[in-house]
Amino acid sequence: MAQGTGQATEQDATRRAEQGTFAGMPVPLYPASPSRLMAWLDCPRRYRMQYLDRPRPEARAQRAHTSVGITTHNVLRDFWDLPELQRTPDGVGELVRTSWIDLGFRDAEQSAAWRQRVREAVVEYLRGMDRTRQPLGLERSVALRTGSITVTGRVDRLDDRDGELVVVDYKTGRQVPTEDDTRTSLPLALYAAGVARTFRRPCVRVELHHVPTRTVVAHEHTTESLDRKIDEAESIASDLRRVDADFGERGVESSSFPPRPSALCTWCDFRAHCPEGQQMGPEKSDWAGLDSDSYAQSALHATGGN
């Protein structure tokens, strides 16, 4: 999901949905996004700080692996805007250079090394694709409306493969996704359902593309499995409607947002404001999320950009 302005719009819509209604009026649809739903499942305390607290607690500075991920996504988006003759390794290199985000790295040397690794990984990822076949959508916003919720999300890439719509989500982290990750992913299922509603065409295939290793894992949903995921989203949103209202009445004194301590606490952007999270171990460094091994695999197969 987009951050910044998009998040503010979603928060405003949530406040409007929480306002009281006159007797006989329908209950407003709950506005959500896949990231908002997943934040609640990860940790109610973090959800409150990220989406409800005003003023919002200050989050930690951006980590290096986030800079790598954002840069990679931006390059894979902008690549398709290049003229076909410029869709080359040199073209990718220039996009990486101009898109590079120099935040969170240990020093300038580490940043430069990762910039080169991202270039090599994206080149190798794109090498196996038909670079003349334009995606149907890039960072395309889609929406889904049910009887109780509205869900908006943004798809990294939407392909039209001989009439079949396919949702593609890029991954750049250290963990290589599995088929089970694709099958069980609530965001991917909601994207597929949103694409089907937006384009009025069936969309059941979802894919996770791990750019560093060029791993692609796919799952073919059915109408029934997508309906189950929509039911899951509605159930989570029902909980959120309740706790949002409780927060509106009690603020930070609400007991609806207990912390959920886990290993994720050492990575949490709001750890400084959560004593329970601080007890889960030392905070990770800004560059701890970088996985040299996965990008090194790409570098071994790179051809020097020719």
Side-chain angles (χ1 to χ4, degrees):
M1 273 297 296
Q3 301 296 315
T5 303
Q7 187 178 82
T9 301
E10 182 183 349
Q11 291 161 349
D12 291 342
T14 299
R15 285 193 289 271
R16 290 194 298 270
E18 292 167 358
Q19 294 176 352
T21 59
F22 294 106
M25 291 184 62
V27 177
L29 300 180
Y30 186 88
S33 67
S35 58
R36 185 178 187 124
L37 299 175
M38 298 307 294
W40 170 254
L41 294 182
D42 285 343
C43 177
R45 170 79 55 82
R46 179 168 72 86
Y47 168 83
R48 192 204 75 201
M49 290 189 285
Q50 183 173 355
Y51 289 100
L52 302 180
D53 282 359
R54 295 294 177 272
R56 177 178 173 179
E58 183 178 359
R60 62 159 293 120
Q62 183 167 294
R63 298 178 186 270
H65 69 271
T66 302
S67 297
V68 167
I70 294 174
T71 298
T72 303
H73 279 72
N74 289 345
V75 170
L76 288 171
R77 175 197 64 202
D78 296 341
F79 175 81
W80 298 101
D81 289 333
L82 296 175
E84 287 187 15
L85 292 179
Q86 295 181 27
R87 294 176 183 178
T88 64
D90 287 342
V92 170
E94 180 62 14
L95 288 177
V96 172
R97 186 188 69 80
T98 57
S99 302
W100 187 245
I101 302 172
D102 190 20
L103 293 176
F105 296 94
R106 181 184 60 240
D107 49 35
E109 181 180 3
Q110 186 187 52
S111 176
W114 272 89
R115 186 174 64 186
Q116 177 63 19
R117 287 172 180 170
V118 169
R119 177 190 185 278
E120 292 167 346
V122 173
V123 166
E124 287 304 298
Y125 169 76
L126 291 169
R127 197 180 297 280
M129 297 181 59
D130 181 355
R131 283 161 280 167
T132 67
R133 189 169 188 173
Q134 195 77 13
L136 181 62
L138 296 165
E139 295 194 359
R140 172 63 191 253
S141 294
V142 295
L144 171 68
R145 180 189 295 263
T146 75
S148 61
I149 62 173
T150 59
V151 181
T152 56
R154 191 170 62 184
V155 178
D156 287 344
R157 194 178 88 213
L158 180 62
D159 288 351
D160 186 343
R161 303 178 190 168
D162 300 323
E164 179 186 25
L165 298 184
V166 180
V167 169
V168 174
D169 193 57
Y170 299 127
K171 295 298 179 185
T172 61
R174 64 170 64 194
Q175 183 175 354
V176 180
T178 65
E179 292 183 7
D180 195 51
D181 292 329
T182 313
R183 179 182 61 82
T184 61
S185 170
L186 177 61
L188 283 179
L190 295 178
Y191 294 151
V195 166
R197 302 286 177 90
T198 300
F199 287 86
R200 298 183 180 180
R201 293 170 56 188
C203 179
V204 295
R205 183 177 177 89
V206 295
E207 296 180 350
L208 291 175
H209 289 207
H210 190 244
V211 178
T213 60
R214 300 175 300 286
T215 300
V216 175
V217 287
H219 178 69
E220 294 274 353
H221 275 287
T222 64
T223 300
E224 292 74 19
S225 67
L226 288 178
D227 285 344
R228 287 194 295 271
K229 287 297 186 182
I230 293 173
D231 289 344
E232 180 182 348
E234 289 182 319
S235 176
I236 298 170
S238 176
D239 290 339
L240 293 185
R241 189 189 294 273
R242 173 180 53 79
V243 299
D244 289 359
D246 191 48
F247 179 85
E249 293 181 4
R250 304 184 185 185
V252 295
E253 300 301 320
S254 170
S255 61
S256 298
F257 306 92
R260 187 167 293 156
S262 72
L264 294 176
C265 294
T266 59
W267 298 95
C268 182
D269 289 342
F270 299 100
R271 171 189 168 93
H273 310 284
C274 181
E276 293 87 350
Q278 294 172 24
Q279 296 176 10
M280 294 307 295
E283 186 174 24
K284 299 292 185 180
S285 71
D286 287 351
W287 55 89
L290 300 177
D291 179 6
S292 299
D293 291 341
S294 61
Y295 273 90
Q297 292 176 25
S298 292
L300 288 173
H301 296 283
T303 60
N306 297 319

